[in-house]
């Protein structure tokens, strides 16, 4: 008999991880640190190990993060581009070395230690010495083609010089933004009244996926190359030899690379890198340790998501002690009250910190955080600093516990804690703080993507009573905008043009932008595809909604409640009256939907079609295309070098198709 509580915990962890995958890989806007994310995965792995009967084939613990997005053509890596296993512990690092030594049946192993750059993984393909393609990691099997944007990186060679060049080579590396370039861009945005970017990694990730080439050119990206993917013919026998070859070819490589013998020397290199990391020109959050010899790498092999011959050692989060001088309460777009620590300014991770998150009322009470306390701050993964503990021995004698107000600090409405939640909420949807939050969400890059309508501008619009709900954005006039601080004629007309262009953005962006509880980008895309319009979506009931893959009962109830609200319904009506006309997904005629209800996975290189062409063809006939083989897969479409997906499909009894089978089936009107 299943343990319902444990099963629910597993499901909740998977959903939480998938939410953070979406934020990190696709939106470049993470909410938690790498360590917190890794802990979520560790907790899920432990539960799945105890209950293997509940582990699906597509569990997030067994796959590489997926950064594939719309608007880019995708390409299959000739050699899979995996991620790295992480460790934060010295003992775990030495256990990793012990596994290497045992697996190779040797006394000692040579390692290479390199800085782990906090950027965006990329694979650059050269054919006959010429750069032909740059592709993101994607899902490990295929990635997005970002060649046009990568060509703006000045230090990246377009052509390799020298004799004995390989016919084809994939060179792996990291695209990043230098700290000084990040500071320059933020200074310009601040001067223009625009919201500043959070950190260099997020900005680099967002820039490589921009479709505006002029803006990419204005943001100076950098790159470091360090890894060998597919190579024909083979040219080196070790990682260190490959680094030397990269230098000879003119590629930028890591500032420092250590060649070590055995575990102790590798550990000494990690400690030395830790002491030097603040001097590096790019953000680094750890050290990558690789087995040096390539034949030993081949011998050790890989798991479904990471090589067994390498590991990333994550440095401890930087900490600082300071005094908590006050506590303010922020009110978000959903009405949640978040306590924020106002701090005596202190240096942390190379920046001056004066504020830190306290999470929620329950967490504050658990740590017994009080005004006047000396507190320890921690900053990991370039995320907002957090108060991790109180230095109790330094607590003032007259300190008293912080008392949360019974009413919203922004509008005075009584606060409530909803059943099953730990957070206090303001339930007044007209609360100015909530209005600002909803507007910022609606205009954000992951929703309606209205360039120029950032936090600072929204704040002015609300404070001047120019905007009170989402539809008011489309009522703004030139005279109102040009009167705002830091706005001139050109910037005002640019904002009006961006607002006008947003009217015809894709339907899922509008659905996401409405701020319906539990509906993120993925759910919005599923809803857009299923209903085809907001009008059809708002008529749906809970029973209809839960039939859609990925929509649970709680999400369905939130959708119905949203449209049942007279206030929300009026805003949605106004949006359409003001000309918002989103682009709906192409609807398929029933007679053409011959693959409806089927799920395809594509693997290998097809004879005549590119992968995205085959995907579009299948979807045009009503089929779904997934990234990995599972029990739900109906067909595996295979080409040359099919790899492990073919083996897995055969073991599950999935029907195997060739490109010719697919085309013939479409002509016949059936694959049966």
């Amino acid at each position: 008999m299943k343990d319902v509580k444990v099963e629910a915990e597993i499901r909740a962890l998977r959903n939480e991880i998938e939410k953070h995958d979406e934020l990190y890989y696709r939106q470049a806007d993470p909410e938690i640190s790498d360590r917190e994310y890794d802990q979520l995965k560790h907790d899920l792995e432990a539960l799945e190990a105890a209950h293997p009967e509940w582990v699906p084939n597509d569990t997030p613990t067994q796959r590489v993060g997926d950064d594939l997005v719309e608007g880019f053509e995708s390409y299959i890596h000739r050699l899979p581009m995996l991620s790295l296993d992480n460790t934060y512990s010295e003992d775990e690092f030495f256990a990793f070395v012990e596994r290497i030594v045992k697996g190779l049946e040797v006394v000692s192993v040579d390692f290479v230690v390199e800085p782990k750059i906090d950027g965006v993984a990329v694979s650059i393909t050269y054919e006959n010495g010429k750069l032909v393609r740059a592709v993101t990691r994607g899902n490990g099997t295929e990635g997005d083609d970002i060649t046009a944007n990568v060509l703006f990186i000045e230090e990246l060679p377009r052509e390799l010089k020298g004799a004995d060049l390989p016919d084809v080579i994939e060179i792996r590396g990291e695209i990043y933004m230098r700290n000084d370039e990040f500071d320059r861009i933020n200074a310009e945005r601040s001067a223009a009244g625009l919201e500043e970017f959070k950190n260099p990694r997020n900005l680099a990730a967002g820039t490589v996926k921009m479709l505006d080439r002029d803006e990419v050119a204005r943001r100076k990206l950098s790159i470091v190359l360090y890894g060998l993917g597919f190579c024909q013919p083979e040219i080196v026998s070790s990682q260190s030899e490959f680094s030397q070859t990269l230098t000879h070819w003119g590629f930028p490589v890591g500032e420092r690379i250590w060649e070590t013998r055995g575990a102790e020397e590798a550990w000494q290199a990690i400690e030395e890198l830790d002491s030097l990391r603040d001097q590096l020109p790019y953000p680094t959050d750890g050290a990558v340790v690789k087995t040096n010899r390539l034949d030993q790498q081949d011998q050790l092999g890989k798991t479904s998501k990471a090589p067994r011959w390498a590991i990333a050692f994550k440095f401890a989060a930087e900490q600082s002690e300071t005094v908590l001088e006050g506590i303010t309460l922020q009110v978000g777009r959903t009405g949640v009250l978040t306590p924020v620590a106002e701090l005596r300014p202190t240096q942390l991770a190379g920046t001056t910190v004066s504020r830190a998150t306290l999470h929620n009322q329950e967490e504050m009470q658990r740590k017994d955080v009080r005004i006047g306390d000396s507190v320890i701050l921690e900053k990991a993964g370039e995320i907002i600093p957090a108060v991790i503990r109180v230095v109790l021995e330094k607590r003032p004698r007259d300190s008293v516990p912080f008392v949360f107000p019974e009413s919203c600090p922004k509008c005075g409405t009584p606060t409530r804690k909803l059943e099953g939640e730990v957070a206090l909420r303001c339930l007044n949807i007209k609360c100015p703080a909530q209005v600002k939050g909803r507007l910022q969400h609606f205009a954000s890059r992951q929703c309606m993507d209205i360039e120029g309508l950032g936090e600072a501008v929204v704040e002015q619009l609300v404070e001047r009573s120019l905007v009170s709900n989402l539809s008011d954005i489309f009522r703004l006039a030139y005279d109102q905008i040009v009167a705002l601080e830091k706005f001139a004629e050109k910037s005002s007309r640019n904002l009006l043009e961006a607002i006008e262009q947003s009217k015809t953005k894709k339907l899922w962006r509008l659905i996401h932008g409405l701020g319906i509880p539990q509906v993120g980008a993925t759910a919005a895309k599923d809803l857009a595809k299923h209903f085809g319009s907001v009008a059809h979506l708002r008529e749906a009931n809970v029973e209809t909604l839960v039939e859609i893959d990925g929509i649970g009962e709680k999400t369905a109830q939130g959708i119905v409640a949203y449209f049942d609200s007279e206030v929300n319904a009026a805003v949605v009506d106004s949006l359409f009256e003001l000309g918002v006309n989103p682009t709906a997904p192409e609807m398929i005629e029933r007679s053409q939907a011959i693959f409806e209800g089927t799920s395809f996975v594509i693997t290998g290189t097809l004879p005549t079609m590119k992968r995205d062409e085959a995907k579009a063809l299948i979807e045009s006939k009503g089929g779904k295309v997934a990234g990995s083989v599972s029990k739900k897969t109906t067909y595996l479409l295979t080409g040359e070098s099919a790899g492990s997906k073919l083996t897995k499909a055969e073991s599950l009894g999935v029907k195997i198709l060739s490109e010719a089978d697919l085309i013939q089936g479409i002509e016949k009107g059936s694959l049966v």
Side-chain angles (χ1 to χ4, degrees):
M1 182 177 178
K2 285 189 175 182
D3 186 326
V4 176
K5 185 177 180 181
V6 174
E7 187 178 16
E9 186 177 357
I10 290 175
R11 190 184 309 113
L13 275 170
R14 287 181 185 142
N15 291 338
E16 182 75 2
I17 290 168
E18 287 174 356
K19 166 193 164 186
H20 292 300
D21 281 346
E22 172 75 18
L23 288 169
Y24 184 87
Y25 291 108
R26 292 196 176 92
Q27 298 182 21
D29 190 21
E31 289 181 346
I32 62 175
S33 69
D34 289 354
R35 187 159 195 158
E36 291 172 306
Y37 176 81
D38 289 339
Q39 185 61 52
L40 289 174
K41 278 202 165 181
H42 176 78
D43 293 344
L44 180 56
E45 285 170 348
L47 287 171
E48 289 181 341
H51 301 278
E53 69 277 13
W54 297 346
V55 182
N57 293 313
D58 60 348
T59 176
T61 60
Q62 300 299 318
R63 64 172 186 249
V64 176
D66 188 348
D67 66 20
L68 295 168
V69 296
E70 293 180 7
F72 289 83
E73 188 172 4
S74 61
Y75 280 89
I76 296 173
H77 300 296
R78 287 182 170 88
L79 196 68
M81 194 173 178
L82 305 178
S83 57
L84 290 175
D85 286 331
N86 295 330
T87 180
Y88 298 83
S89 159
E90 180 180 349
D91 290 341
E92 288 182 358
F93 169 73
F94 280 96
F96 158 76
V97 176
E98 188 175 332
R99 290 194 299 273
I100 296 288
V101 170
K102 185 176 180 180
L104 295 173
E105 298 181 341
V106 295
V107 176
S108 185
V109 177
D110 292 341
F111 293 102
V112 168
V113 180
E114 305 167 343
K116 183 183 180 298
I117 301 170
D118 196 15
V120 183
V122 65
S123 180
I124 315 288
T125 299
Y126 288 81
E127 296 180 0
N128 299 315
K130 293 185 178 181
L131 192 159
V132 296
R133 189 171 299 115
V135 180
T136 64
R137 188 198 310 277
N139 58 21
T141 300
E142 63 175 328
D144 285 335
D145 182 351
I146 55 171
T147 310
N149 289 348
V150 168
L151 289 176
F152 287 110
I153 302 176
E154 295 175 1
E155 61 263 41
L156 181 66
R158 277 38 171 186
E159 189 171 350
L160 306 182
K161 305 295 184 182
D164 301 323
L165 296 175
D167 298 333
V168 181
I169 184 171
E170 291 176 330
I171 304 175
R172 272 74 190 269
E174 202 86 4
I175 296 173
Y176 68 94
M177 182 166 286
R178 290 174 59 96
N179 295 328
D180 54 1
E181 175 67 3
F182 175 72
D183 292 339
R184 180 192 69 78
I185 292 171
N186 266 349
E188 290 182 355
R189 290 181 69 83
S190 178
L194 300 174
E195 184 179 358
E196 294 185 18
F197 294 109
K198 291 181 180 179
N199 58 64
R201 189 270 164 196
N202 291 2
L203 181 52
T207 302
V208 298
K209 291 294 185 76
M210 291 188 76
L211 298 176
D212 184 346
R213 309 294 184 224
D214 291 338
E215 184 61 24
V216 175
R218 284 191 287 269
R219 301 178 184 180
K220 186 176 175 60
L221 292 171
S222 298
I223 192 168
V224 164
L225 286 304
Y226 49 70
L228 179 62
F230 178 85
C231 186
Q232 183 64 43
E234 296 180 358
I235 55 170
V236 295
S237 60
S238 69
Q239 185 68 40
S240 57
E241 185 184 354
F242 182 57
S243 295
Q244 293 166 9
T245 301
L246 288 175
T247 302
H248 175 71
W249 282 340
F251 287 98
V253 298
E255 298 284 319
R256 285 286 305 273
I257 299 175
W258 288 259
E259 295 179 37
T260 67
R261 178 72 174 172
E264 290 295 340
E265 284 189 21
W267 180 250
Q268 290 172 12
I270 292 172
E271 291 185 314
E272 185 177 355
L273 175 56
D274 192 9
S275 68
L276 295 173
R277 58 174 162 144
D278 287 341
Q279 303 171 27
L280 298 175
Y282 40 68
T284 178
D285 57 356
V288 177
V289 183
K290 305 174 184 176
T291 306
N292 192 17
R293 284 172 43 183
L294 300 188
D295 62 332
Q296 291 182 336
Q297 292 181 7
D298 291 339
Q299 186 177 342
L300 291 164
K302 61 184 184 299
T303 66
S304 61
K305 64 186 179 80
R308 293 191 176 94
W309 44 265
I311 199 167
F313 181 88
K314 293 293 195 72
F315 296 137
E318 295 191 45
Q319 296 184 348
S320 179
E321 181 179 330
T322 190
V323 176
L324 192 156
E325 297 181 331
I327 295 173
T328 57
L329 294 171
Q330 293 182 340
V331 182
R333 66 182 174 90
T334 61
V336 170
L337 273 62
T338 301
V340 176
E342 304 294 342
L343 308 163
R344 183 175 298 167
T346 183
Q347 286 292 309
L348 180 62
T351 59
T352 300
V353 174
S354 58
R355 308 184 89 203
T357 180
L358 293 167
H359 298 295
N360 54 55
Q361 181 183 24
E362 189 174 274
E363 185 71 5
M364 272 187 63
Q365 291 172 345
R366 185 182 68 81
K367 294 175 180 174
D368 191 19
V369 179
R370 305 180 185 184
I371 295 174
D373 279 342
S374 292
V375 294
I376 303 298
L377 305 179
E378 183 172 282
K379 189 177 184 184
E382 300 294 334
I383 304 298
I384 185 171
V387 172
I388 61 168
R389 67 180 176 86
V390 174
V391 185
L392 291 174
E393 57 269 26
K394 294 184 179 181
R395 169 168 283 171
R397 292 183 178 180
D398 60 350
S399 76
V400 294
F402 180 78
V403 178
F404 275 72
E406 296 181 354
S407 59
C408 172
K410 304 298 182 181
C411 70
T413 302
T415 56
R416 283 179 52 193
K417 186 181 291 187
L418 300 181
E419 185 178 353
E421 293 188 353
V422 298
L424 283 173
R425 284 183 185 270
C426 166
L427 300 182
N428 174 21
I429 62 172
K430 295 184 179 180
C431 172
Q434 293 186 50
V435 172
K436 292 175 185 176
R438 288 195 292 271
L439 291 168
Q440 290 168 26
H441 173 73
F442 184 80
S444 66
R445 187 164 59 87
Q446 56 267 34
C447 295
M448 297 296 278
D449 194 18
I450 304 177
E451 182 69 26
L453 195 55
E455 181 178 356
V457 178
V458 166
E459 190 159 345
Q460 290 190 67
L461 292 172
V462 175
E463 288 177 352
R464 298 187 185 199
S465 300
L466 296 174
V467 175
S468 62
N469 61 55
L470 303 182
S471 62
D472 286 343
I473 292 173
F474 301 96
R475 295 187 175 95
L476 288 170
Y478 171 81
D479 290 345
Q480 294 173 317
I481 296 174
V482 79
L484 300 176
E485 292 180 14
K486 298 183 178 180
F487 267 83
E489 180 182 353
K490 183 177 180 181
S491 54
S492 299
R493 298 202 184 282
N494 286 344
L495 177 53
L496 282 172
E497 178 63 22
I499 292 172
E500 187 64 28
Q501 289 178 354
S502 74
K503 290 181 178 180
T504 54
K505 289 288 175 72
K506 292 186 177 181
L507 174 61
W508 72 265
R509 288 184 172 277
L510 175 60
I511 294 173
H512 187 202
L514 292 176
I516 303 170
Q518 309 294 322
V519 176
T522 301
K525 291 174 183 177
D526 291 337
L527 292 169
K529 185 175 181 180
H530 185 87
F531 291 103
S533 71
V534 172
H536 289 146
L537 171 60
R538 65 194 299 180
E539 294 172 358
N541 55 31
V542 172
E543 292 73 21
T544 302
L545 289 162
V546 296
E547 292 177 358
I548 303 170
D549 286 343
I551 304 297
E553 187 168 349
K554 187 175 181 180
T555 302
Q557 291 170 347
I559 294 168
V560 172
Y562 179 89
F563 288 112
D564 279 346
S565 163
E566 291 183 6
V567 174
N568 293 335
V571 170
V572 172
D573 288 339
S574 294
L575 286 171
F576 291 108
E577 289 169 3
L578 291 164
V580 174
N581 185 24
T583 304
E586 293 184 9
M587 304 304 288
I588 304 167
E589 292 183 17
R590 181 66 58 184
S591 61
Q592 295 297 315
I594 59 175
F595 296 156
E596 186 173 2
T598 63
S599 175
F600 287 73
V601 172
I602 306 172
T603 185
T605 304
L606 301 177
T608 66
M609 286 191 285
K610 294 178 180 178
R611 189 194 183 286
D612 61 316
E613 293 173 339
K615 180 180 179 182
L617 180 60
I618 291 167
E619 290 177 343
S620 72
K621 301 300 179 182
K624 289 187 176 182
V625 179
S628 58
V629 177
S630 70
K631 293 178 181 178
K632 295 181 179 180
T633 304
T634 314
Y635 301 107
L636 180 72
L637 178 60
T638 64
E640 188 179 350
S641 304
S644 60
K645 288 183 181 179
L646 176 58
T647 304
K648 187 171 185 179
E650 289 173 339
S651 69
L652 293 173
V654 174
K655 187 170 182 179
I656 313 299
L657 301 177
S658 65
E659 181 184 300
D661 294 330
L662 177 70
I663 294 171
Q664 185 178 13
I666 291 173
E667 291 173 349
K668 289 170 52 182
S670 172
L671 286 172
V672 179

